[in-house]
């Protein structure tokens, strides 16, 4: 049995929201990400972990600022100095779209740092490689040009292309499994979309550009644990069965789409045929997302304030207030009053979503623009109290008028 730390999707250079830290000179949000990374490294050292797997996406893109690279390197070197091996899987954000370009963690492969293994191609790490009684089958982010020649891609439509990619990577995984020792625990780590997984806000990624690993491939019982990255929402795709098929999730909230998600990493005890694991929560900066809808001018600002969380609940939080109201009420909005309510928050974003004015005489629930002129007249005559007979007569006159006007 080995003790494993599994984390993913660090994105340590997400420079969004708020100010710079006076001590380090870095954006405070970057400091937040680094503190989460420190907590993971500290736990790995305190637990004397046998192996750490990072399942991809260290940065926002493959060309991080040297200052952020330095911060990442320092923390990975801490594991090396503690004698804990770490496998760094290359994710889609670490990979250059151009063929044969260096990836974001190229320096570790180039310098051959002791105990640091950079998985930038599919391969099997053996016990001799890792120095622990475990094997790891690593599948980094794979682009189409890594699996198919250009001529092959041109000959296939989009659906056939995805099917061919999945077939080829599944065959590659099968060949690597065949090389593994069946008596030693085997871990699969992949930066990929797995069929059946639940997406978070990062589904902005075009799924047509992903290769998709089927649930049956990753749930193969020859694996004893599956360490995944790419999807930011923590989950066990295999829903409690063996082997666990686990997305560790991102280590910090990236945007408001992740406001309600808990962030953390995985601590696992991996043995042949049985793995026990737990999700370890990180103390991350909260995101508070509030939506308020208004329809009336009466008590406009008080209605907004009454629906906001108490000031003590937003201290240090990244906050967004989404306001929906008719455009004619815009002049009643006092953003300064809202800002005062959130004065102890880390940051505040106010989004106005102004609706079109509706003619209440025709009904507040009526989509006026969707009605024909004849239907609009019918609704109007109802509101002024015409009888059905009077309404029918008026409709007949209206039809004649519309004909004359070619309306």
């Amino acid at each position: 049995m080995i003790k494993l730390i599994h984390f993913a999707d660090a994105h340590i250079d997400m420079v969004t929201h708020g100010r710079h830290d006076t001590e380090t000179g870095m954006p405070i949000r970057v400091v937040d990400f680094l503190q989460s990374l420190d907590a993971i490294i500290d736990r790995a050292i305190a637990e004397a972990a046998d192996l750490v797997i990072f399942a991809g996406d260290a940065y926002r893109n493959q060309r991080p600022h040297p200052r952020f690279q330095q911060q990442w390197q320092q923390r990975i070197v801490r594991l090396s100095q503690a004698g804990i091996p770490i496998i760094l899987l290359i994710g889609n954000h670490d990979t250059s779209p151009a063929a044969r370009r260096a990836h974001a963690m190229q320096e570790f492969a180039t310098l051959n740092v002791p105990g640091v293994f950079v998985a930038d191609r599919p391969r099997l790490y053996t016990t001799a490689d890792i120095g622990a009684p475990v094997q790891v089958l690593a599948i980094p982010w794979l682009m189409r040009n890594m699996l198919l020649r250009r001529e092959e891609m041109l000959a296939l439509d989009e659906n056939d292309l995805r099917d061919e990619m999945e077939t080829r990577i599944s065959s590659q995984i099968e060949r690597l499994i065949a090389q593994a020792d069946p008596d030693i625990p085997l871990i699969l780590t992949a930066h990929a979309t797995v069929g059946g997984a639940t997406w978070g806000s990062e589904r902005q990624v075009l799924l047509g550009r992903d290769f998709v690993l089927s649930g049956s491939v990753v749930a193969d019982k020859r694996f004893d644990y599956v360490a995944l990255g790419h999807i930011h929402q923590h989950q066990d795709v295999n829903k409690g069965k063996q082997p666990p098929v686990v997305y560790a999730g991102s280590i910090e909230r990236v945007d408001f789409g992740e406001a309600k998600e808990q962030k953390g990493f995985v601590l696992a005890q991996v043995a042949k045929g049985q793995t026990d694991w737990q999700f370890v929560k990180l103390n991350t900066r909260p995101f508070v997302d509030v939506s308020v809808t208004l329809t009336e001018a009466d008590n406009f600002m008080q209605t907004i304030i009454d629906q906001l969380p108490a000031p003590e609940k937003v201290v240090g939080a990244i906050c967004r207030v989404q306001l929906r109201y008719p455009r004619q009420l815009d002049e009643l909005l006092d953003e300064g009053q809202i800002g005062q309510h959130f004065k102890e928050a880390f940051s505040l974003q106010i989004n106005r979503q102004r609706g079109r004015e509706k003619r209440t005489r025709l009904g507040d629930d009526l989509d006026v623009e969707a009605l024909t002129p004849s239907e609009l007249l019918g609704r109007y005559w109802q509101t002024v109290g015409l009888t059905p007979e009077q309404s029918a007569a008026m409709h007949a006159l209206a039809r004649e008028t519309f004909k004359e006007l070619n309306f």
Side-chain angles (χ1 to χ4, degrees):
M1 182 178 69
I2 66 118
K3 189 176 291 186
L4 169 72
I5 295 283
H6 160 215
F7 72 107
D9 297 281
H11 297 290
I12 64 166
D13 55 344
M14 279 289 183
V15 187
T16 55
H17 309 287
R19 310 169 297 280
H20 279 65
D21 179 53
T22 55
E23 186 175 336
T24 65
M26 291 188 294
I28 293 178
R29 279 300 285 151
V30 171
V31 174
D32 288 346
F33 280 78
L34 292 174
Q35 287 175 344
S36 289
L37 183 56
D38 283 334
I40 296 169
I41 302 300
D42 290 344
R43 184 65 178 269
I45 293 172
E47 293 279 351
D50 298 295
L51 175 65
V52 173
I53 292 178
F54 171 65
D57 280 358
Y59 309 103
R60 282 186 305 161
N61 57 51
Q62 80 282 1
R63 298 180 66 185
H65 190 281
R67 179 75 184 279
F68 302 142
Q69 278 188 301
Q70 180 190 47
Q71 296 296 318
W72 175 262
Q73 291 162 2
Q74 288 173 350
R75 287 156 175 82
I76 301 305
V77 167
R78 280 187 63 206
L79 288 174
S80 175
Q81 292 172 339
I84 299 174
I86 179 170
I87 293 175
L88 299 174
L89 200 63
I90 300 303
N92 58 305
H93 285 269
D94 306 315
T95 305
S96 171
R100 293 184 291 278
R101 286 279 184 88
H103 53 69
M105 289 185 280
Q106 191 70 49
E107 70 276 5
F108 291 107
T110 303
L111 298 175
N112 196 25
V113 180
V116 179
F117 305 94
V118 180
D120 54 7
R121 59 183 177 83
R123 64 161 295 175
L124 176 71
Y125 292 95
T126 66
T127 56
D129 297 322
I130 299 169
V134 66
Q135 306 164 100
V136 178
L137 197 166
I139 305 294
W141 176 262
L142 296 176
M143 293 183 293
R144 295 174 175 184
N145 58 12
M146 297 178 180
L147 295 171
L148 299 166
R149 294 189 302 273
R150 178 172 174 78
E151 312 82 66
E152 294 172 317
M153 288 191 281
L154 291 173
L156 299 171
D157 65 25
E158 190 66 32
N159 290 331
D160 290 340
L161 187 59
R162 284 199 296 269
D163 290 344
E164 184 63 23
M165 289 174 66
E166 182 178 347
T167 297
R168 293 197 181 193
I169 193 60
S170 297
S171 297
Q172 200 161 18
I173 289 172
E174 188 61 41
R175 287 196 297 271
L176 291 171
I177 291 176
Q179 298 172 21
D181 186 331
D183 298 322
I184 296 174
L186 177 61
I187 296 171
L188 170 67
T189 183
H191 191 89
T193 300
V194 167
T198 301
W199 278 85
S201 66
E202 76 283 6
R203 192 167 187 155
Q204 299 167 18
V205 178
L206 294 177
L207 292 182
R209 297 183 180 274
D210 286 13
F211 73 85
V212 179
L213 292 175
S214 72
S216 60
V217 169
V218 297
D220 192 313
K221 292 190 179 297
R222 289 173 292 180
F223 296 127
D224 300 293
Y225 180 76
V226 180
L228 298 173
H230 186 42
I231 293 179
H232 290 185
Q233 183 174 328
H234 164 65
Q235 60 195 287
D236 176 8
V237 181
N238 211 16
K239 304 187 185 310
K241 302 174 185 176
Q242 292 289 328
V245 179
V246 181
Y247 280 101
S250 53
I251 68 172
E252 263 280 351
R253 294 176 183 88
V254 171
D255 56 33
F256 283 98
E258 300 178 16
K260 296 181 180 179
E261 295 177 11
Q262 182 63 56
K263 299 302 177 181
F265 62 96
V266 174
L267 173 62
Q269 306 279 348
V270 183
K272 193 65 192 171
Q274 179 63 45
T275 292
D276 297 313
W277 64 280
Q278 65 181 89
F279 180 68
V280 182
K281 297 178 181 178
L282 289 166
N283 183 23
T284 54
R285 189 179 297 278
F287 276 53
V288 176
D289 196 13
V290 183
S291 180
V292 180
T293 300
L294 304 105
T295 58
E296 303 293 340
D298 293 344
N299 300 314
F300 184 82
M301 282 306 304
Q302 191 58 51
T303 301
I304 293 174
I305 297 301
D306 289 346
Q307 295 187 54
L308 300 180
E312 60 269 20
K313 293 186 178 296
V314 299
V315 175
I318 295 170
C319 302
R320 179 173 70 178
V321 177
Q322 300 185 79
L323 302 173
R324 298 178 178 86
Y325 55 85
R327 185 175 296 276
Q328 68 269 23
L329 303 183
D330 202 26
E331 62 184 18
L332 300 178
L333 181 64
D334 182 354
E335 290 194 357
Q337 190 175 346
I338 298 173
Q340 184 64 23
H341 189 90
F342 285 91
K343 64 181 180 180
E344 298 299 326
F346 177 75
S347 68
L348 172 64
Q349 173 185 336
I350 300 175
N351 290 352
R352 305 185 188 197
Q353 298 181 30
R354 307 171 183 86
R356 296 178 180 271
E357 182 178 0
K358 294 177 181 177
R359 297 187 181 275
T360 56
R361 200 172 177 186
L362 295 177
D364 287 340
D365 61 344
L366 184 64
D367 184 0
V368 172
E369 294 182 353
L371 299 181
T372 66
S374 179
E375 289 169 335
L376 279 170
L377 281 172
R379 291 298 291 256
Y380 172 72
W381 289 325
Q382 288 176 20
T383 65
V384 296
L386 293 187
T387 66
E389 293 77 13
Q390 291 172 324
S391 180
M394 294 296 290
H395 258 94
L397 290 172
R399 281 194 293 271
E400 292 300 322
T401 303
F402 289 159
K403 274 185 189 177
E404 292 176 12
L405 296 174
N406 293 319
F407 193 70

